[in-house]
Amino acid sequence: LDEEDSDRVYELVEPLHPADIADLFELVNEDERLQLARSIRDLMGVEVIAELNDWVRELLIEALPADVVAEIAEQLDTDDAVAMIEDLDREDQQAVLAELDPEDRAAIEAALSYPEESAGRLMSREFVAVPETMTVGDLIDFLREHRELPTEFWEVFIVDAMHRPVGTCALSWILRCPRNIPLYDVMSRDQTLIPVDMDQEEVALRFQKYALISAAVTDSAGRLIGQITVDDIVHIIQEEASEDILRLSGAGDGDINEPILITVRARLTWLCVNLATAILASSVVGLFQGAITRFALLAVLMPIVSGMGGNAGTQTLAVVVRAIATNQLTDSNTVRMILRELRIATANGAALGLLIGGGTTLLFSNPLLGAVIGAAMVINNLVAGLAGILVPVTLDRFRIDPAVSSAVFVTTATDTMGFFSFLGLAVLTGLA
Amino acid sequence: LDEEDSDRVYELVEPLHPADIADLFELVNEDERLQLARSIRDLMGVEVIAELNDWVRELLIEALPADVVAEIAEQLDTDDAVAMIEDLDREDQQAVLAELDPEDRAAIEAALSYPEESAGRLMSREFVAVPETMTVGDLIDFLREHRELPTEFWEVFIVDAMHRPVGTCALSWILRCPRNIPLYDVMSRDQTLIPVDMDQEEVALRFQKYALISAAVTDSAGRLIGQITVDDIVHIIQEEASEDILRLSGAGDGDINEPILITVRARLTWLCVNLATAILASSVVGLFQGAITRFALLAVLMPIVSGMGGNAGTQTLAVVVRAIATNQLTDSNTVRMILRELRIATANGAALGLLIGGGTTLLFSNPLLGAVIGAAMVINNLVAGLAGILVPVTLDRFRIDPAVSSAVFVTTATDTMGFFSFLGLAVLTGLA
């Protein structure tokens, strides 16, 4: 598919949808991406650029001169232009901004002034807002006459004299009404407004909860300054959920197009934190070296207790992290959830304790060893259940993303307590 | 907020948005939910029912007589009615269906005949489809005259004489055109059709990729039979991503409103599978009991090697599972991804091996022990990287959801190989 014969490449790529062309860039090797871009230069429309993976886009954009980037930015919606420019170096960013029309530059600079991952970065400044005194007919005429309005929009926002949103009208309602009906009789006053500094995760939850197609973004004075549409939100939801999985596993951003050095650094950082945890757990085992020398079977069985506790803790953790992320777990039901997890941990601990305790007793003809490992299993399951919910809930209270750091604490708890309860009980009962 | 004084409850709940009332049901205790429903009976509109969590809705719906459920179902869109009815027992389902209008019953039965989680279950049969011979003016008149059409829709589908979709028109395009323009000049022929049996995850990826607001669903003959709108897709994306997190952790569906017995069974099943894994790993340690008796420090250090391998494996696994779920990882870049993970594993293994090897050498003044643990760390990181990508890719080839079962295989690999490489090297080098 690649190299030399760029006419042939062009022919093959031409019939594709922009989103498919963007995917193609991800599939070819890194060193072929620039070449591909050159072969299909005039197919590289703004739709393709907007659909590219962040890392791939950065590679291509950095290879382009500032005035070409500026030209692309001018054709994009504000939100897509911001997404393209926000990842550039400060210097390149300035160079591109300098090449822009004053009006576009002002819009993009304003968007860049809002915090990353906030509504201000997501919103588009292209929207339709009209006064409530208009009738359906006035609005239709207004839309037909004003060529500079956006071509694609799903709802019309109705504003008062201060440009504050007072209602929303789905286009289908407008199309189904006679021309003489005033908009204030058609519009819904029950609207969900998005403050410009709201975090994108919160914005996504609102869209999901109220099944929104688009929503008005307001500044601190309550004036309408932009709109967010659901197609951008779909990406956010996907991203935020993926983020939780990847962070829980300590895989950083985990994008497969990320430069490998960034990936190595992200994962190694996490592994080093876990190394400290592992050393801590191993030092607990160190306390019982004498017992292990006397009875090596303890060393054989101890990974079962710590490992099963780790699994149970991870189960609880995953459920709790998702429940927090989707606003299902709030102050008012935390206590109920803790009790629920404790009941589950007791049931699972008892079942596993009986199973492994019974098995050990039979296999090694040693009822005391069976009782010790069974009891340790019950204890460690309770530790796992408690840590699995208390750690993320506590981190969340302190406004720390529970997906990022919970796993380390939970594993530390289940590893150290697993070793300690099993080896400690073995020594206490005189088993070794 | 609850109990006795139901007038007061009513007053408090009345001003809330249906989605907020639905949330309220999740927040109160299980045994108070039916009572709450009774207190606010006439606020329990269909919007509230549609927004309820599956488990909570089941509880409430089961407490209602079939004719009341049927009445609710008739007011809902097909897709919401199907969501409400599909979880009922076969018997209750039949009772409700029997109470429905023949027309609604036919629609719901048709939807239930499609596989669960397919486009057929998601689609709504309420949509607007018109022949391409209409002009913009004809369409507007048609919409104004036909009262039975859905009130909320975002695009109009243009069909040929066989009722096959030939194009799509966003309402904003229609509103901006003069009345005399024919629809075939306005519509986009570049449409994304959804076959009725497509899996919902695939449907969600299409919506995301092509930034769709709504899409036409077609039967096997290519005829338009329904539409799917993006607000339903937003839920699917959230659900599917959550599913991946929860499955990777073995937490089943992980819904916090699930009856506790179902949760215990789901988690216990997973823990039992992991118990088998843990026993396998522990039996590897069993092979080296003699060495451990001679040199108990090996038992102290071995959890570090297995644990770090487990962490590295989980990192790779999370990245790969997400890349598969979002169609980023396909046949054409699998080999590149495997090489990428191997390079990362080599870099991380070398770094961690040097760190822990050096530390061990200094701490225990034993260079041979340091070399053994360092080498084992490198080996286990490579095992982790390879297992982390090969296991999910292989499962995916066999059409098994990699999120469900990968973790067991990867942990088995890193645990057994961690113990085996460390203890094996210790014996081989004559350390114990």
Side-chain angles (χ1 to χ4, degrees):
Chain A
L1 194 87
D2 318 80
E3 318 304 335
E4 283 120 49
D5 197 358
S6 68
D7 287 354
R8 174 119 185 77
V9 171
Y10 188 95
E11 252 171 62
L12 285 168
V13 173
E14 201 182 0
L16 295 178
H17 186 281
D20 292 309
I21 299 182
D23 277 1
L24 184 63
F25 273 96
E26 287 190 52
L27 293 181
V28 303
N29 286 323
E30 231 166 284
D31 45 1
E32 296 163 348
R33 284 175 189 158
L34 276 175
Q35 192 162 3
L36 174 61
R38 265 180 232 117
S39 309
I40 58 167
R41 189 183 298 264
D42 53 316
L43 296 178
M44 294 293 293
V46 290
E47 296 89 354
V48 177
I49 303 275
E51 290 289 334
L52 284 172
N53 174 285
D54 286 356
W55 292 106
V56 178
R57 187 171 53 214
E58 205 180 314
L59 175 91
L60 296 183
I61 292 294
E62 277 173 356
L64 292 174
D67 60 322
V68 179
V69 178
E71 213 172 283
I72 297 170
E74 276 172 12
Q75 291 169 64
L76 293 170
D77 280 348
T78 341
D79 54 333
D80 290 326
V82 169
M84 180 174 83
I85 292 178
E86 67 183 352
D87 294 326
L88 292 178
D89 302 338
R90 187 130 202 93
E91 204 177 306
D92 291 342
Q93 215 176 68
Q94 290 307 326
V96 174
L97 286 173
E99 296 282 342
L100 286 173
D101 278 349
E103 202 182 323
D104 288 321
R105 180 165 64 222
I108 291 178
E109 280 180 338
L112 287 172
S113 74
Y114 299 113
E116 268 188 69
E117 312 213 323
S118 72
R121 295 273 179 119
L122 282 179
M123 74 183 183
S124 154
R125 277 152 198 277
E126 289 90 27
F127 57 87
V128 179
V130 293
E132 55 183 327
T133 48
M134 271 192 179
T135 62
V136 166
D138 294 340
L139 174 60
I140 295 180
D141 294 340
F142 171 81
L143 292 174
R144 285 191 184 141
E145 280 157 26
H146 286 74
R147 293 278 115 215
E148 80 288 359
L149 291 172
T151 47
E152 225 160 325
F153 53 93
W154 313 102
E155 290 175 313
V156 169
F157 301 107
I158 319 294
V159 290
D160 64 13
M162 307 288 292
H163 215 70
R164 285 180 306 223
V166 292
T168 312
C169 242
L171 298 188
S172 56
W173 305 342
I174 295 166
L175 275 168
R176 304 204 51 193
C177 280
R179 288 182 65 95
N180 59 347
I181 304 276
L183 286 181
Y184 61 74
D185 277 351
V186 187
M187 73 185 188
S188 155
R189 279 158 216 279
D190 185 17
Q191 43 177 358
T192 306
L193 301 177
I194 308 284
V196 69
D197 53 0
M198 185 183 261
D199 184 77
Q200 64 175 18
E201 189 159 12
E202 193 55 40
V203 176
L205 286 172
R206 294 258 173 123
F207 265 79
Q208 190 184 354
K209 180 165 179 184
Y210 300 115
L212 305 177
I213 294 296
S214 59
V217 180
T218 53
D219 65 11
S220 53
R223 281 183 306 254
L224 178 63
I225 54 170
Q227 76 164 334
I228 295 179
T229 48
V230 69
D231 52 317
D232 295 314
I233 294 303
V234 165
H235 284 273
I236 305 288
I237 293 178
Q238 182 76 273
E239 259 177 49
E240 294 282 343
S242 281
E243 239 179 57
D244 278 354
I245 299 188
L246 297 165
R247 287 184 175 169
L248 265 179
S249 324
D253 279 343
D255 191 284
I256 65 172
N257 296 299
E258 199 176 49
I260 198 159
L261 273 178
I262 294 186
T263 307
V264 168
R265 197 171 52 196
R267 294 204 202 166
L268 199 53
T269 309
W270 178 255
L271 291 173
C272 285
V273 173
N274 274 278
L275 183 58
T277 307
I279 290 172
L280 185 67
S282 122
S283 69
V284 171
V285 181
L287 298 176
F288 297 94
Q289 272 192 72
I292 290 172
T293 307
R294 289 191 296 277
F295 194 28
L297 193 53
L298 294 181
V300 176
L301 297 176
M302 69 181 191
I304 300 182
V305 180
S306 64
M308 295 305 292
N311 283 322
T314 307
Q315 289 180 332
T316 307
L317 188 55
V319 172
V320 173
V321 164
R322 278 319 283 167
I324 291 176
T326 55
N327 278 355
Q328 278 195 292
L329 182 59
T330 59
D331 289 357
S332 62
N333 59 354
T334 298
V335 173
R336 176 152 47 103
M337 274 292 287
I338 294 174
L339 293 175
R340 183 173 194 270
E341 286 301 328
L342 272 181
R343 285 163 65 199
I344 296 171
T346 310
N348 285 345
L352 290 172
L354 279 175
L355 192 64
I356 192 79
T360 305
T361 304
L362 292 176
L363 191 64
F364 300 103
S365 313
N366 189 338
L368 184 56
L369 183 61
V372 165
I373 196 170
M377 201 73 123
V378 174
I379 294 173
N380 209 20
N381 258 283
L382 287 173
V383 169
L386 271 182
I389 183 163
L390 291 182
V391 168
V393 165
T394 310
L395 289 173
D396 188 50
R397 284 284 156 87
F398 288 105
R399 313 238 147 264
I400 301 171
D401 181 353
V404 179
S405 27
S406 295
V408 170
F409 292 107
V410 174
T411 330
T412 307
T414 55
D415 275 359
T416 51
M417 281 308 295
F419 292 138
F420 188 75
S421 59
F422 177 57
L423 298 174
L425 281 175
V427 170
L428 263 186
T429 57
L431 193 65
Chain B
L1 195 85
D2 319 79
E3 317 304 336
E4 282 121 49
D5 197 358
S6 67
D7 287 352
R8 172 119 185 78
V9 171
Y10 188 94
E11 253 171 62
L12 285 169
V13 173
E14 201 182 359
L16 295 178
H17 186 282
D20 292 310
I21 299 182
D23 277 0
L24 184 63
F25 274 96
E26 288 190 52
L27 292 182
V28 303
N29 287 321
E30 233 167 282
D31 45 1
E32 296 164 347
R33 284 174 189 158
L34 276 175
Q35 191 160 5
L36 175 60
R38 266 180 231 118
S39 308
I40 57 167
R41 188 182 298 266
D42 53 316
L43 296 179
M44 295 291 294
V46 291
E47 297 89 355
V48 177
I49 303 275
E51 290 289 334
L52 283 173
N53 174 284
D54 285 357
W55 292 105
V56 178
R57 186 169 55 214
E58 207 180 313
L59 176 92
L60 296 182
I61 293 293
E62 278 173 357
L64 292 174
D67 59 322
V68 178
V69 179
E71 213 173 283
I72 296 171
E74 277 171 14
Q75 292 168 65
L76 292 171
D77 280 347
T78 343
D79 54 333
D80 290 327
V82 168
M84 180 175 81
I85 292 178
E86 67 183 351
D87 294 326
L88 293 178
D89 301 337
R90 187 131 201 91
E91 203 177 308
D92 291 342
Q93 215 176 69
Q94 291 306 327
V96 173
L97 286 172
E99 297 281 343
L100 286 174
D101 279 349
E103 201 183 322
D104 287 322
R105 179 164 64 224
I108 291 178
E109 280 180 337
L112 287 172
S113 74
Y114 298 112
E116 268 187 67
E117 312 214 322
S118 72
R121 294 273 179 119
L122 280 180
M123 73 184 185
S124 156
R125 277 151 198 279
E126 289 90 26
F127 57 87
V128 179
V130 293
E132 55 184 325
T133 48
M134 269 193 180
T135 62
V136 166
D138 295 341
L139 174 62
I140 294 180
D141 294 339
F142 171 82
L143 292 174
R144 285 191 185 144
E145 280 156 24
H146 286 75
R147 291 279 116 213
E148 80 287 0
L149 290 172
T151 47
E152 225 160 326
F153 53 93
W154 313 104
E155 289 174 314
V156 169
F157 301 106
I158 321 293
V159 290
D160 64 13
M162 308 287 293
H163 216 69
R164 285 180 306 224
V166 291
T168 312
C169 241
L171 297 188
S172 55
W173 305 343
I174 295 165
L175 275 168
R176 305 204 51 192
C177 280
R179 288 181 68 94
N180 59 348
I181 304 277
L183 287 181
Y184 61 75
D185 277 352
V186 187
M187 73 186 189
S188 154
R189 280 157 215 280
D190 184 19
Q191 42 175 359
T192 307
L193 301 177
I194 309 284
V196 70
D197 54 0
M198 184 182 263
D199 184 77
Q200 65 175 18
E201 190 161 10
E202 193 55 40
V203 176
L205 286 173
R206 295 255 174 126
F207 264 79
Q208 191 185 354
K209 182 167 178 182
Y210 300 116
L212 305 176
I213 294 294
S214 59
V217 180
T218 53
D219 65 11
S220 53
R223 281 184 305 254
L224 177 64
I225 55 170
Q227 74 164 334
I228 295 179
T229 48
V230 68
D231 52 317
D232 294 315
I233 293 303
V234 165
H235 284 275
I236 304 289
I237 292 177
Q238 182 75 272
E239 259 178 50
E240 294 283 342
S242 280
E243 239 179 57
D244 278 354
I245 299 188
L246 296 165
R247 287 183 175 167
L248 265 179
S249 323
D253 279 343
D255 191 285
I256 65 171
N257 296 298
E258 200 176 48
I260 199 160
L261 273 178
I262 295 187
T263 307
V264 168
R265 198 172 52 199
R267 294 205 203 166
L268 198 53
T269 310
W270 178 253
L271 290 174
C272 285
V273 173
N274 274 278
L275 183 59
T277 307
I279 290 172
L280 185 68
S282 121
S283 68
V284 171
V285 181
L287 299 175
F288 297 94
Q289 273 192 71
I292 289 173
T293 308
R294 287 191 297 276
F295 193 28
L297 194 53
L298 293 181
V300 176
L301 296 176
M302 70 183 191
I304 300 181
V305 180
S306 64
M308 296 305 293
N311 284 322
T314 306
Q315 288 180 332
T316 307
L317 188 55
V319 172
V320 173
V321 164
R322 280 318 284 169
I324 291 176
T326 54
N327 277 354
Q328 278 195 293
L329 183 57
T330 60
D331 289 358
S332 62
N333 59 354
T334 299
V335 174
R336 175 152 49 104
M337 273 293 286
I338 294 174
L339 293 176
R340 182 173 194 271
E341 286 301 328
L342 272 181
R343 285 163 63 200
I344 296 172
T346 310
N348 285 346
L352 291 171
L354 280 176
L355 192 63
I356 192 81
T360 306
T361 303
L362 291 178
L363 191 62
F364 301 103
S365 314
N366 189 338
L368 184 55
L369 184 61
V372 165
I373 195 170
M377 201 74 124
V378 174
I379 294 173
N380 209 21
N381 258 284
L382 288 172
V383 169
L386 270 182
I389 183 162
L390 291 182
V391 168
V393 165
T394 310
L395 289 172
D396 187 52
R397 284 282 156 89
F398 287 105
R399 312 238 147 263
I400 301 171
D401 181 352
V404 178
S405 27
S406 295
V408 171
F409 292 107
V410 174
T411 329
T412 308
T414 54
D415 275 359
T416 52
M417 282 308 296
F419 293 139
F420 189 76
S421 60
F422 178 56
L423 298 174
L425 281 175
V427 170
L428 264 185
T429 56
L431 193 63

